[in-house]
Amino acid sequence: FQHYYITNNLRYYLISAMVDKETKEMPERPSITWMIKEVFDALCLEDKVKSNKEGSSEESLEKRCAEACKKRMAQKAISPLGVKGSLEDPAARMAHVYLHFIKNAYLVNSVLSDAYAACTHIPSGTTVFNEVMKAIDWGRLSVFSLGGGPGDDILGVLMFLHRHGFNAKVSGAVADKCGAWEKTMNSIFKSLNSAQGADVKIEKDKLTQQQAYLQNLWRRLDGGIKYHKSDIRAPAYFLQAYSAEAMALAQADIILLPFVVSAIKEQEECSAALQAVLESMKPGALLVYIDIAKSGCTETINELAYWCGLRRIFFLTEQTFDLPKYEKKEYLDRYSEEFEAESVRSTKVASIVFKRPSAACEFERKGRMTERERKNIQQAQTRLRKKNPSFRFFAPS
């Protein structure tokens, strides 16, 4: 059956309400595409409440979302920071989640996995990620996302930890200019635990493979994600001394810059704002830069990193990334008709991982490498060698 909300003569369709046949066809493998259906529910309800307060909109949510998708594709904006216009409208945020959320999460997961494989020497068990691995082995990892919007990049970090069997708790923080993203972000990470209500406990053996995967991601969160309404494009107010976002950035083990530089490169004092971010990194912290290939931003971040004393430990000038096949396009077929646009499944990016050098020069790590971790590293190294025969891997001296 289908659910509808009737308000001011407008019909609000709960996008994730599926017919019986669709509900039974759960993913063959764990899929985060399935998860965002609940996020669409929350945005539909938010739009309904907003229309009740402000009066009815002339266009339905689906039409406004389709228009927002067209604008996003025309602007070629991937980061929410690059969007022209307000993101307060639920339709604009729904367009971003539909177009880029799934791809961005997998992209961060892939870049971190490849960088870790390239920087790890299996025979000796040593890694350039030594400070981050210490944090993981101690059970707590701090992650800061700059301009991450709904936190898709932090979800990518959770997927990276799950992929290698790391059980650290993630303390996450997002700094973004649009405060409305906080509601959407909370809905997204709440949906990870949708298989288990607040007062209802489900035994592990009764969970589906899909529910168990999302539960495992959710368990790696340490009390949710903190949201800071802060705009890097206003350097006079960004990262003020002792501000909440400045403290979160200074404590972070991993800082994420997903498509941020290309979004703000036209702004005045862009370099000064980015320099403030790089100079705030603690020793041993990693900066994960991902942006559009051939955007001209790679040179900018490389120069800033050099002057701020960061070390480049992983670099791919151009990488064609495609979503895995088990994230089936068919899962979003109905939405592609309603929104008149296809969710982005392939993109060309430049990816760099920088590290703030620490006092310790040894690349040791605590504990033994598990077979699951070793297997994933070997698979990533093999994949990197095939795509880049001249790629140089880390080897301790």
Side-chain angles (χ1 to χ4, degrees), residues 84-327:
K84 297 178 181 178
S86 175
L87 285 164
E88 298 292 333
D89 183 3
R93 279 174 280 137
M94 184 177 286
H96 174 84
V97 172
Y98 170 70
L99 290 173
H100 298 297
F101 181 87
I102 303 163
K103 177 260 301 174
N104 286 357
Y106 272 100
L107 186 54
V108 170
N109 174 23
S110 176
V111 170
L112 275 174
S113 297
D114 287 350
Y116 180 55
C119 295
T120 300
H121 187 248
I122 293 180
S124 64
T126 56
T127 177
V128 184
F129 277 45
N130 53 324
E131 288 86 359
V132 168
M133 289 309 303
K134 282 182 180 179
I136 290 175
D137 289 335
W138 290 340
R140 186 172 298 274
L141 186 72
S142 180
V143 180
F144 184 88
S145 166
L146 183 59
D152 39 27
D153 48 354
I154 292 184
L155 179 61
V157 175
L158 298 179
M159 294 165 67
F160 162 74
L161 295 175
H162 174 80
R163 182 177 188 170
H164 291 80
F166 301 143
N167 293 316
K169 288 283 189 178
V170 171
S171 175
V174 173
D176 197 277
K177 65 171 183 175
C178 177
W181 274 124
E182 184 173 9
K183 290 183 180 178
T184 308
M185 182 183 68
N186 290 336
S187 298
I188 288 170
F189 286 94
K190 183 180 178 181
S191 67
L192 292 177
N193 195 31
S194 61
Q196 179 174 333
D199 301 319
V200 180
K201 293 185 178 180
I202 300 179
E203 296 178 9
K204 287 185 178 181
D205 58 351
K206 294 183 180 180
L207 293 175
T208 65
Q209 187 180 19
Q210 166 72 7
Q211 291 171 334
Y213 176 67
L214 297 182
Q215 281 271 301
N216 284 330
L217 297 182
W218 177 76
R219 288 194 185 99
R220 285 173 168 81
L221 271 179
D222 185 18
I225 298 174
K226 294 180 180 179
Y227 190 91
H228 305 287
K229 186 177 180 181
S230 181
D231 192 354
I232 189 174
R233 301 175 306 172
Y237 303 98
F238 180 68
L239 290 183
Q240 289 186 332
Y242 304 108
S243 64
E245 66 270 17
M247 297 295 287
L249 176 59
Q251 296 171 3
D253 300 296
I254 299 176
I255 295 99
L256 304 166
L257 279 179
F259 303 99
V260 169
V261 182
S262 60
I264 67 172
K265 65 179 180 180
E266 304 298 332
Q267 302 289 326
E268 294 183 5
E269 302 183 22
C270 162
S271 294
L274 287 171
Q275 184 176 343
V277 172
L278 303 189
E279 289 178 342
S280 299
M281 293 172 59
K282 70 179 183 180
L286 303 180
L287 176 76
V288 180
Y289 164 88
I290 302 172
D291 220 314
I292 303 168
K294 300 179 180 179
S295 63
C297 300
T298 304
E299 293 180 3
T300 301
I301 195 69
N302 271 325
E303 290 177 3
L304 285 171
Y306 173 79
W307 289 111
C308 292
L310 302 188
R311 177 187 175 189
R312 192 174 68 188
I313 61 174
F314 177 79
F315 183 27
L316 288 178
T317 54
E318 185 172 319
Q319 170 190 7
T320 300
F321 176 79
D322 298 294
L323 279 179
K325 293 181 180 179
Y326 56 82
E327 289 286 352

Side-chain angles (χ1 to χ4, degrees), residues 51 64 110 150 184 221 223 241 245 309 328 333 340:
S51 294
R64 290 183 359 250
S110 176
T184 308
L221 271 179
E245 66 270 17
K328 293 185 178 179
D333 271 353
E340 301 175 12

Side-chain angles (χ1 to χ4, degrees), residues 26-30 209 326 328 331:
M26 293 297 288
E28 297 174 3
R29 287 187 57 179
Q209 187 180 19
Y326 56 82
K328 293 185 178 179
Y331 293 155

